[in-house]
Amino acid sequence: MPYAILRFQKRKAGSIAACERHNERKKEAYKSNPDIDMERSRENYHLVAPPRYTYKKEINRMTGAAGCRVRRDSVMLVETLITASPEFMHSLPPAEQRAYFAAALDFVAGRVGKQNIISAVVHMDEKTPHMHLCFVPITKEGKLSAKTMLGNQKSLSEWQTAYHAHMSARWPELERGESSMITKRKHIPTWLFKLGGRLDKQHDEIVKALSDINAFNAGKKRDKALALLSAWLPDMEKFSREIQKQSDYINSLKQRVNQSEKYADHLRDSRYAEELKVQEANKRIFELQRTNQQLERLVKLIPPEVLAELQKSGRGRTKER
């Protein structure tokens, strides 16, 4: 089933020039994105012509004219990616493709103000036709605020719903992906990453403790090792249980990464926030899984008599929930 795709990337002052070079094809070569066929770049076209000079100069002019308060870390530009599933885009004849992007432009302009859009360029020189639409987030009150325009997660979900309704009115075969607001997808809690990091740091200390009690020696060394293990083992078990609970979310992230590679190869050069967020989350999850596997191997090194001692004393048991 084909999907209507709308993605936002907030850009601060430091990344605007790179954004412009990519969108307006101001580079002679694109080694970071081999999908760009420079021979076909002449087929690219604008629905909103770019500013006469540069994005940055036009943004400064617009914010100055509106009297916007601009901070060093202000979001100066919002870059919007507009496309659809490759099979859908390639099924449209050129005139219908143009109509698709024009309809999307009308939708975004109606929400952010046509006067705020500084460029809308359609790229035909990559695998899937797509449009980069850039706007300066100046509100009706004259404030520079991407947060006000885009809102929170709930607002962004509403953006997607409204966008799908707008586009599917003409192309009813388009689908809208399920929102995380509907699926109630759980994100990995911060405390789990912190616990994993703490357990990871304790790894060498636990290994040393195990080597000291392999013979289950008596005395202070034995008591110290048991105390260390009794404090460590419940946290390790808690960590392992939670990793198992998160397995569905881990699998969903893997699927999202695969989907982003399938439907949005051309995003790699632009480094859109959503793709980076998914990839970073996936990387951190694999780190958690690696930590969990390492801890499980470590538990197997604990001599049976030591585990029996811990269980007998009750120090190695976790509270039932």
Side-chain angles (χ1 to χ4, degrees):
M1 58 182 70
Y3 289 89
I5 296 174
L6 176 73
R7 295 286 184 268
F8 299 107
Q9 168 69 56
K10 297 177 181 178
R11 293 196 175 276
K12 298 180 181 180
S15 65
I16 291 173
C19 167
E20 180 178 7
R21 286 194 298 271
H22 174 82
N23 293 357
E24 307 301 337
R25 294 295 190 255
K26 291 187 174 181
K27 295 169 65 176
E28 293 183 0
Y30 293 84
K31 294 181 180 179
S32 61
N33 190 346
D35 292 334
I36 296 177
D37 181 357
M38 298 299 290
E39 294 295 320
R40 294 171 52 209
S41 294
R42 65 175 68 92
E43 299 174 18
N44 297 345
Y45 59 89
H46 286 83
L47 293 182
V48 175
R52 182 179 179 183
Y53 297 108
T54 65
Y55 283 11
K56 188 65 183 296
K57 286 184 178 180
E58 181 64 10
I59 292 169
N60 290 339
R61 184 196 68 77
M62 292 171 64
T63 54
C68 297
R69 180 183 176 186
V70 180
R71 302 188 306 272
R72 180 177 296 179
D73 62 344
S74 291
V75 173
M76 308 292 289
L77 184 74
V78 176
E79 185 178 8
T80 311
L81 173 80
I82 294 166
T83 186
S85 302
E87 64 273 16
F88 173 78
M89 293 305 304
H90 289 299
S91 72
L92 300 178
E96 194 71 357
Q97 282 185 2
R98 191 180 186 101
Y100 180 90
F101 293 123
L105 171 61
D106 288 343
F107 171 78
V108 176
R111 290 194 157 216
V112 307
K114 189 173 182 179
Q115 73 282 359
N116 287 330
I117 299 174
I118 64 172
S119 179
V121 57
V122 176
H123 286 170
M124 301 296 293
D125 56 0
E126 297 181 56
K127 285 186 177 181
T128 304
H130 59 279
M131 180 166 68
H132 293 276
L133 186 158
C134 295
F135 67 89
V136 185
I138 300 175
T139 68
K140 294 178 181 179
E141 295 74 27
K143 293 182 179 180
L144 183 66
S145 177
K147 184 177 181 180
T148 298
M149 284 196 169
L150 299 181
N152 55 20
Q153 184 182 9
K154 184 176 180 180
S155 300
L156 286 171
S157 180
E158 192 278 326
W159 264 88
Q160 296 293 337
T161 299
Y163 176 65
H164 172 256
H166 180 82
M167 302 303 286
S168 63
R170 177 163 176 172
W171 297 278
E173 63 270 38
L174 289 171
E175 296 284 344
R176 184 218 190 278
E178 274 194 305
S179 167
S180 60
M181 302 296 293
I182 298 173
T183 59
K184 306 296 183 183
R185 177 180 290 147
K186 293 182 179 180
H187 291 266
I188 297 197
T190 302
W191 66 261
L192 185 60
F193 289 106
K194 292 181 179 179
L195 177 59
R198 187 168 73 249
L199 290 171
D200 213 11
K201 289 179 181 178
Q202 292 173 344
H203 179 267
D204 292 343
E205 190 177 5
I206 298 298
V207 170
K208 185 176 185 301
L210 288 174
S211 65
D212 286 343
I213 62 172
N214 277 339
F216 207 57
N217 50 305
K220 292 183 178 180
K221 184 175 290 188
R222 168 186 174 279
D223 291 339
K224 180 180 179 181
L226 284 173
L228 183 62
L229 281 171
S230 67
W232 176 83
L233 197 57
D235 280 347
M236 182 273 161
E237 292 173 345
K238 179 180 179 182
F239 179 81
S240 185
R241 283 197 308 271
E242 190 63 28
I243 287 293
Q244 295 302 316
K245 290 180 183 179
Q246 298 288 343
S247 61
D248 289 343
Y249 177 59
I250 290 171
N251 290 333
S252 73
L253 276 174
K254 290 177 181 177
Q255 291 173 0
R256 289 172 65 193
V257 169
N258 291 336
Q259 187 180 56
S260 71
E261 290 176 350
K262 179 179 179 182
Y263 290 142
D265 286 342
H266 51 276
L267 297 187
R268 292 173 185 164
D269 187 56
S270 303
R271 296 180 182 275
Y272 278 82
E274 181 64 20
E275 186 186 17
L276 285 181
K277 181 180 178 182
V278 171
Q279 290 180 353
E280 182 61 26
N282 203 40
K283 176 183 175 183
R284 295 179 72 191
I285 285 167
F286 280 123
E287 289 174 355
L288 285 178
Q289 290 177 314
R290 179 193 58 78
T291 297
N292 188 48
Q293 291 167 356
Q294 177 177 266
L295 297 177
E296 288 176 346
R297 288 194 297 269
L298 191 54
V299 169
K300 292 179 181 178
L301 296 177
I302 301 176
E305 60 270 25
V306 175
L307 283 175
E309 177 72 13
L310 290 171
Q311 292 169 356
K312 181 179 179 181
S313 66
R315 288 178 289 184
R317 294 178 182 172
T318 57
K319 294 182 180 180
E320 294 294 333
R321 292 190 177 184

